[in-house]
Amino acid sequence: METENNTVVTEFILVGLTQSQSIQLLVFVLVLIFYLIILPGNFLIILTIRSDPGLTAPLYFFLGNLAFLDASYSFIVAPRMLADFFSEKKVISYKGCITQLFFLHFLGAGEGFLLVVMAFDRYIAICRPLYYSTVMNPRACHVLLLAPWIGGFVHSIIQVALILRLPFCGPNRLDNFLCDVPQVIKLACTDTFVVELLMVFNSGLLTLLCLLGLLVSYAVILCRVRGSSSEGKSKAMSTCTTHIIVIFLMFGPGIFIYSRPFRALPADKVVSFCHTVIFPLLNPVIYTLRNQEIKASVRKLFYQHLA
């Protein structure tokens, strides 16, 4: 069977988030504000965790890496989208499109797997506290951190490998502001039913299973702390609530986008915008606002630089 890729398309035209000039201006201002305020905040979280000797627990080690992943993820789409607001013709090369798609799924899946690791860390800390220092030793933490990067790479390389085998010989208009699997597949000059099913299993089913597994794990944690002291119960509830908020922000849009056959819906662009631009910048901030230790360390670091 012939499997050669007969691609002749050398670039894709991005339709963009909206055709309305006023809405484009509003989105540009909002994204720019998010970038100028929240992105430096993410790097401040990383700096605070690395510089404060009191924040050496595995929770903060993983939180610092989550902030790094989110900051890296936000660079994939938002800067180009901001630049495209000033371009009449929004064009991305075929290789650029594949590169953007690879890093989108590499870092996105890596972040999802990291949230699973963080749920495991909380389970051991709350449900098996006597074994915590033994199980979550520095070597184990580094191994657990490596797993999301490997998992994200494998997930993403499968996506890219399937798309690279598709021929693109005609239409090249992507009805979105970025290159992602659902829109790119629809432009292929062949029947993509089997590829779409494989993509749904590789992205949609994986995302759904991760979400269900995380929700079950936090339900077990909450049930376990019901009989604990009021102080311990309050801290566990606060930690779990924060994690659950981030989980829904991360996995909710992913399930909407990837867990159904790739047909266009009116909400697709808005969900993609929130999933790739807004939520990645907010996740570490949500963690920080509900973590007294990090807030105290940030204030301490701030006053040290003022002195």
Side-chain angles (χ1 to χ4, degrees), residues 115-134:
L115 291 176
V116 174
V117 170
M118 294 177 71
F120 175 75
D121 170 72
R122 290 300 84 202
Y123 172 81
I124 299 297
I126 295 173
C127 299
R128 296 288 187 271
L130 297 178
Y131 300 96
Y132 186 72
S133 59
T134 302

Side-chain angles (χ1 to χ4, degrees), residues 104-117:
L104 191 71
H105 285 268
F106 173 41
L107 297 177
E111 182 177 344
F113 292 137
L114 181 57
L115 291 176
V116 174
V117 170

